[in-house]
Short mmCIF file of all heavy atoms in Angstrom, two decimals:
data_model
loop_
_atom_site.label_atom_id
_atom_site.label_comp_id
_atom_site.label_asym_id
_atom_site.label_seq_id
_atom_site.Cartn_x
_atom_site.Cartn_y
_atom_site.Cartn_z
N ILE B 46 4.93 43.64 95.69
CA ILE B 46 4.48 42.19 96.16
C ILE B 46 5.76 41.31 96.62
O ILE B 46 5.52 40.42 97.22
CB ILE B 46 3.80 41.52 95.02
CG1 ILE B 46 4.57 41.39 93.72
CG2 ILE B 46 2.48 42.27 94.74
CD1 ILE B 46 3.79 40.67 92.68
N LEU B 47 6.97 41.86 96.15
CA LEU B 47 8.18 41.13 96.62
C LEU B 47 8.15 39.57 96.62
O LEU B 47 8.27 39.01 97.68
CB LEU B 47 8.48 41.55 98.01
CG LEU B 47 8.92 43.12 98.14
CD1 LEU B 47 9.14 43.51 99.66
CD2 LEU B 47 10.12 43.49 97.38
N PRO B 48 8.06 38.90 95.48
CA PRO B 48 8.21 37.53 95.38
C PRO B 48 9.62 37.05 95.54
O PRO B 48 10.42 37.93 95.62
CB PRO B 48 7.74 37.28 93.87
CG PRO B 48 8.18 38.59 93.11
CD PRO B 48 8.04 39.62 94.13
N ASP B 49 9.72 35.81 95.92
CA ASP B 49 11.08 35.25 96.02
C ASP B 49 11.68 34.97 94.68
O ASP B 49 12.85 35.28 94.46
CB ASP B 49 11.07 33.90 96.79
CG ASP B 49 10.54 34.10 98.31
OD1 ASP B 49 10.97 34.95 98.96
OD2 ASP B 49 9.49 33.40 98.58
N ILE B 50 10.78 34.54 93.90
CA ILE B 50 11.22 34.18 92.51
C ILE B 50 10.21 34.66 91.48
O ILE B 50 8.97 34.57 91.64
CB ILE B 50 11.34 32.56 92.35
CG1 ILE B 50 12.54 32.03 93.26
CG2 ILE B 50 11.31 31.98 90.94
CD1 ILE B 50 12.60 30.54 93.38
N VAL B 51 10.83 35.09 90.35
CA VAL B 51 10.06 35.50 89.20
C VAL B 51 10.35 34.67 88.06
O VAL B 51 11.57 34.41 87.67
CB VAL B 51 10.41 37.04 88.86
CG1 VAL B 51 9.56 37.32 87.54
CG2 VAL B 51 9.97 37.98 90.07
N ILE B 52 9.33 33.96 87.54
CA ILE B 52 9.48 33.23 86.33
C ILE B 52 9.19 34.14 85.15
O ILE B 52 8.08 34.68 84.96
CB ILE B 52 8.53 32.01 86.25
CG1 ILE B 52 8.78 31.22 87.52
CG2 ILE B 52 8.71 31.22 84.95
CD1 ILE B 52 7.79 30.01 87.62
N ALA B 53 10.11 34.30 84.20
CA ALA B 53 10.07 35.40 83.21
C ALA B 53 10.31 34.84 81.81
O ALA B 53 11.13 33.99 81.59
CB ALA B 53 11.00 36.48 83.54
N ASP B 54 9.38 35.18 81.01
CA ASP B 54 9.58 34.99 79.57
C ASP B 54 10.55 36.15 79.10
O ASP B 54 10.71 37.08 79.68
CB ASP B 54 8.27 35.06 78.85
CG ASP B 54 8.41 34.59 77.38
OD1 ASP B 54 9.41 33.94 77.11
OD2 ASP B 54 7.42 34.86 76.59
N ILE B 55 11.14 35.85 77.88
CA ILE B 55 12.09 36.94 77.34
C ILE B 55 11.34 37.70 76.27
O ILE B 55 11.43 38.84 76.32
CB ILE B 55 13.44 36.38 76.93
CG1 ILE B 55 14.29 35.90 78.22
CG2 ILE B 55 14.23 37.31 76.14
CD1 ILE B 55 15.64 35.73 78.02
N GLU B 56 10.93 36.91 75.33
CA GLU B 56 10.32 37.46 74.08
C GLU B 56 8.88 37.90 74.39
O GLU B 56 8.02 37.10 74.47
CB GLU B 56 10.31 36.48 72.89
CG GLU B 56 11.58 36.23 72.24
CD GLU B 56 11.74 37.16 71.11
OE1 GLU B 56 10.78 37.26 70.30
OE2 GLU B 56 12.82 37.62 70.88
N MET B 57 8.73 39.27 74.63
CA MET B 57 7.40 39.76 74.79
C MET B 57 7.21 40.97 74.09
O MET B 57 8.26 41.74 73.70
CB MET B 57 7.27 40.02 76.34
CG MET B 57 7.25 38.82 77.20
SD MET B 57 6.76 39.12 79.01
CE MET B 57 8.45 39.67 79.55
N ASN B 58 5.95 41.38 73.67
CA ASN B 58 5.77 42.56 73.15
C ASN B 58 6.16 43.72 74.06
O ASN B 58 5.94 43.54 75.24
CB ASN B 58 4.32 42.69 72.77
CG ASN B 58 3.94 41.75 71.69
OD1 ASN B 58 4.72 41.51 70.68
ND2 ASN B 58 2.82 41.10 71.68
N GLY B 59 6.47 44.86 73.55
CA GLY B 59 6.92 46.05 74.34
C GLY B 59 8.23 45.67 75.08
O GLY B 59 9.12 45.23 74.34
N MET B 60 8.30 45.93 76.34
CA MET B 60 9.63 45.84 76.99
C MET B 60 9.90 44.27 77.01
O MET B 60 9.03 43.44 77.34
CB MET B 60 9.55 46.30 78.45
CG MET B 60 10.88 46.18 79.19
SD MET B 60 10.68 46.57 80.97
CE MET B 60 10.29 48.27 80.88
N ASN B 61 11.16 43.93 76.72
CA ASN B 61 11.37 42.47 76.79
C ASN B 61 11.88 41.98 78.09
O ASN B 61 12.07 42.82 79.05
CB ASN B 61 12.46 42.09 75.61
CG ASN B 61 13.77 42.63 75.91
OD1 ASN B 61 14.24 42.68 77.11
ND2 ASN B 61 14.39 43.03 74.91
N GLY B 62 12.06 40.83 78.27
CA GLY B 62 12.42 40.08 79.59
C GLY B 62 13.73 40.57 80.14
O GLY B 62 13.95 40.84 81.38
N ILE B 63 14.63 40.75 79.20
CA ILE B 63 16.02 41.15 79.71
C ILE B 63 16.02 42.49 80.33
O ILE B 63 16.55 42.73 81.41
CB ILE B 63 16.96 41.28 78.38
CG1 ILE B 63 16.98 39.94 77.60
CG2 ILE B 63 18.33 41.65 78.86
CD1 ILE B 63 17.80 38.79 78.16
N GLU B 64 15.29 43.48 79.62
CA GLU B 64 15.36 44.74 80.22
C GLU B 64 14.54 44.81 81.59
O GLU B 64 14.96 45.43 82.59
CB GLU B 64 14.49 45.82 79.34
CG GLU B 64 15.16 46.00 77.98
CD GLU B 64 14.18 46.72 77.09
OE1 GLU B 64 13.95 47.94 77.20
OE2 GLU B 64 13.89 46.15 76.09
N MET B 65 13.50 44.04 81.67
CA MET B 65 12.79 43.97 82.90
C MET B 65 13.60 43.30 84.00
O MET B 65 13.65 43.96 85.25
CB MET B 65 11.55 42.91 82.68
CG MET B 65 10.65 42.96 83.93
SD MET B 65 9.51 41.50 83.84
CE MET B 65 10.59 40.07 83.92
N ILE B 66 14.36 42.29 83.76
CA ILE B 66 15.22 41.68 84.72
C ILE B 66 16.24 42.77 85.10
O ILE B 66 16.54 42.89 86.40
CB ILE B 66 15.88 40.25 84.24
CG1 ILE B 66 14.75 39.33 84.05
CG2 ILE B 66 16.91 39.92 85.24
CD1 ILE B 66 15.41 38.10 83.31
N THR B 67 16.88 43.35 84.23
CA THR B 67 17.86 44.39 84.46
C THR B 67 17.37 45.53 85.57
O THR B 67 18.03 45.79 86.58
CB THR B 67 18.32 45.09 83.22
OG1 THR B 67 18.79 44.16 82.33
CG2 THR B 67 19.53 46.16 83.52
#
Side-chain angles (χ1 to χ4, degrees):
Chain B
I46 60 180
L47 296 175
D49 298 310
I50 286 174
V51 174
I52 302 175
D54 190 15
I55 290 193
E56 285 266 319
M57 290 185 284
N58 291 323
M60 183 190 292
N61 68 38
I63 306 282
E64 297 171 64
M65 180 191 74
I66 294 174
T67 306

